[in-house]
Amino acid sequence: MTEDRRIADELYELLPALYRIADEERGGPLRALLQVIGEQVQVVDEDMAQLYENWFIETCRPWVVPYIGDLVGHRPTGSDATTADPGTTALLIPRRAVAHVVRNRRRKGTLALLESLAEDFTERPARAVEFYRLLSVTQPVHLLGTSAAVPRIRLSRGRTADLRQGAALDLLGGPFDSLAHSVDVRRSTSYRTPGRFNIPETGVFLWRLLARTVTRTPALCLEREDLHRYTFCVLGNDAPLFTGPGDGNRHGVPAPIRRRALERDMAAHYGHDKDFEILIGDPPVPVAVRDITAADLSGWRYRPRPGSVAVDPQLGRFTIARDLRPAADAGVVVSYRYGFTADIGGGEYNRPLAQRPGSVTYRVHGAAELLRRLAPWQDTAQLDRQPPHAVVEIDDSQVYDLPQRLTLRAGHSLQLRAANRRRPVLRLGDPTPGPDGLRIRGDAGSSLTLDGLLITGNSVRIEGELAHLTIRHCTLVPGWSLDPDCEPRLPAKPSLTLLDTDARVTIEHSIVGSVQVARDAVRREPERLWISDSIIDATAPTRTALGSFGNGLAHVTAVLRRVTVIGEVHAHTIELAEDSILGGHVRVARRQLGCVRFCSLVPESQTPRRFACQPDLVDAAIEGDQRERDRERLRVRPAFDSTRYGTPEYGRLSASCAAEVTAGAEDASEMGAFHDLHLAQRVALLRTELDEYTPSGGNTGLIHAT
């Protein structure tokens, strides 16, 4: 029984029985009236309850947070946040920051407070370091032979580098550095070349990467090289293993695992619900921790002792002793953590699930069950068995080989998705230049949704009269597959092909290789393409990320919001492009339609009218001097930490990138796929707070740890 119906019944029960009997004889009009009144009573009751909740920062509505902050003296940065939209208000005045104002003032001047501020404003792990403790000092000789009662504080501080202490050398220059350094006269807050090691200097290290899990997925055996060699990543590329929260992580930060750290404390990193685990056999049995050895497998020269497994955490490789080699029908299963910047692409993170009302849901576990559930869409003789609206949900992170063809009947919909916090891998065959791996044909009015999947090995080809195609939180591996150094094996191959279809294509929170469109530009209207919060990667700026066969114009009308494009865009129309990075030349046929705003472009791109784009703004500020203009264009060109899919820093803007790009979006956030992290605003807010809470005479700089 709903709440309003309960209140209506309470009001109805207050009436004398005589009136209730008469009302029932007349069909219940009085009861219906009281139900309407009960709805309004419920609204008033909820409003009165919320008025009490609004007194507390933990339970108040978001619009109340700035007012509570004003009562305790919290000073927001920038414009009045009470007039902004709810999302901007929550960013400018974080609820946690307001809740901790009084506590922070009591702890002003402490090192732990700086870490707490960084975590409150950036929502990333942080570590504060007093650099004066790492200064090289001359130790008094007489302290070396004195009794324990004499203070020996300086002896526990930074010491001269010992080349035999490899663990300390591994941490050199990072947040856990323990070696002595000479004095650096530059301030840690300098905008030119910040320094570190001096008496008044303090540094706050921020971790920009997050540790993401992969649970019980097959490891890739490098059969062509050796049957005993494996990579943790099923794509075959080298990917460092990361630490995550838990008892095994001494520092509580997501960071790559080093070989010496693994060798020194294997039990802290290896095991169930820890940083990684290796299981062999059928059913899979975990390898004992005593049989795991840390090793350098960069050249695959290391040979593990009998009965053991050698692991290289920095490359994400391991090799199995010959007496442990699994049977042909068994295999090796791994669980591990990898690093990435945000929750886009296929991954085991929390994501919203949505489906069409009335859909039939099939939850599958295992390749045989998946093929059985997909039979009505695969076998032409079973097309009549298709339910009108179906969801096939994969409830694990295994590797699946999909059939080569799926067909949707007219008006039907199919959603092929991963369960929440799962990342299944759909393998479309060997990465060869043969037929497309997955061909999907839809009749008039049909729709297809791919959600939470990692698709590798070949391309996805859409044909027929499919009405809607939605790709969300998916990865269509650029170049189909990867080499060990994360280079794409077939860089020129498209990941998505739209072949003469009328589908309205939506791509959101995904990583997709190049998109090719084949469509009759004379007899048919342009296809609609919406892309948001995604990376479109042609594997090189000079290759075509969106276009037609033969380097022609894709007959599409595109909308790009918060997109990072690595490659060229050749389209019929760009209706809107905003807060995006277009890393290659853009060529648009109908430039009189549409708008490009707050984007980064390659000079001489042919686009619709532009507003607040780069390098247009720096060109307008410089007149006449072509050398100076070229120099400014080079300065504001987007700089990435990595453009190779498979690396932890993939698609992330470098810390040395120009502020015109890292804070060049409409809301002063960064352009591109990671816009919604709002890193620029968060760092600006944090710098303001650090200026207030740093001890007098000191300087606190921000340093990116990963």
Side-chain angles (χ1 to χ4, degrees), residues 6 109 143 174 179 188 203 232 268 299 316 359 518 550 593 615 651 671:
R6 184 183 63 81
L143 290 180
L179 300 179
S188 60
F232 280 88
S359 297
L593 298 178
M671 302 175 180

Side-chain angles (χ1 to χ4, degrees), residues 498 505-507 515 527-531 546 556-560:
L498 306 174
V505 181
T506 302
I507 301 174
V515 180
E527 193 166 1
R528 307 287 294 182
L529 177 63
W530 279 266
I531 306 177
L546 173 61
V556 298
T557 297
V559 175
L560 309 175

Side-chain angles (χ1 to χ4, degrees), residues 248-310:
N249 189 350
R250 295 184 302 159
H251 308 295
V253 297
I257 304 175
R258 300 179 182 274
R259 299 184 182 104
R260 288 188 176 91
L262 180 62
E263 182 180 11
R264 183 174 60 251
D265 199 358
M266 180 68 69
H269 296 285
Y270 178 81
H272 182 63
D273 285 339
K274 295 185 179 179
D275 296 328
F276 71 97
E277 186 180 29
I278 301 174
L279 302 92
I280 300 177
D282 187 16
V285 177
V287 179
V289 64
R290 63 178 180 275
D291 295 327
I292 302 294
T293 304
D296 181 359
L297 300 179
S298 55
W300 295 105
R301 291 183 296 272
Y302 185 87
R303 293 292 181 268
R305 68 178 186 275
S308 68
V309 177

Side-chain angles (χ1 to χ4, degrees), residues 92 182 250 321 344 550 575-576 622 637 668:
L92 296 179
S182 58
R250 295 184 302 159
I344 69 170
E575 184 176 289
L576 176 64
I622 300 173
R637 187 173 63 183

Side-chain angles (χ1 to χ4, degrees), residues 7-38:
I7 295 177
D9 290 341
E10 289 180 357
L11 296 177
Y12 190 72
E13 293 296 330
L14 295 177
L15 294 175
L18 176 65
Y19 296 110
R20 296 199 301 270
I21 294 174
D23 181 61
E24 291 178 359
E25 293 176 351
R26 291 169 173 78
L30 184 58
R31 186 187 184 103
L33 175 63
L34 291 178
Q35 184 174 352
V36 175
I37 296 175

Side-chain angles (χ1 to χ4, degrees), residues 390-444:
V391 176
V392 179
E393 183 176 279
I394 304 175
D395 195 20
D396 56 33
S397 297
Q398 295 292 320
V399 177
Y400 293 86
D401 294 316
L402 278 187
Q404 291 188 353
R405 182 183 293 272
L406 297 176
T407 303
L408 281 74
R409 296 186 62 189
H412 287 198
S413 68
L414 172 64
Q415 182 177 159
L416 182 59
R417 76 184 185 196
N420 195 26
R421 299 188 182 277
R422 295 292 184 266
R423 193 209 68 177
V425 178
L426 303 186
R427 188 167 51 195
L428 305 183
D430 293 332
T432 60
D436 292 309
L438 178 60
R439 305 179 67 178
I440 301 174
R441 173 177 290 276
D443 294 336

Side-chain angles (χ1 to χ4, degrees), residues 98-155:
V98 175
H100 296 162
V101 164
V102 177
R103 184 196 69 177
N104 291 345
R105 287 176 181 157
R106 292 174 178 171
R107 303 165 64 202
K108 187 173 183 178
T110 63
L111 197 64
L113 172 61
L114 302 181
E115 295 182 0
S116 177
L117 288 173
E119 293 173 359
D120 287 347
F121 281 93
T122 65
E123 298 182 356
R124 288 291 191 272
R127 175 179 171 83
V129 177
E130 294 173 309
F131 288 128
Y132 81 89
R133 293 181 175 272
L134 299 178
L135 287 176
S136 177
V137 296
T138 302
Q139 303 288 355
V141 178
H142 70 277
L143 290 180
L144 299 178
T146 55
S147 63
V150 179
R152 306 167 68 100
I153 299 177
R154 291 186 177 181
L155 297 181

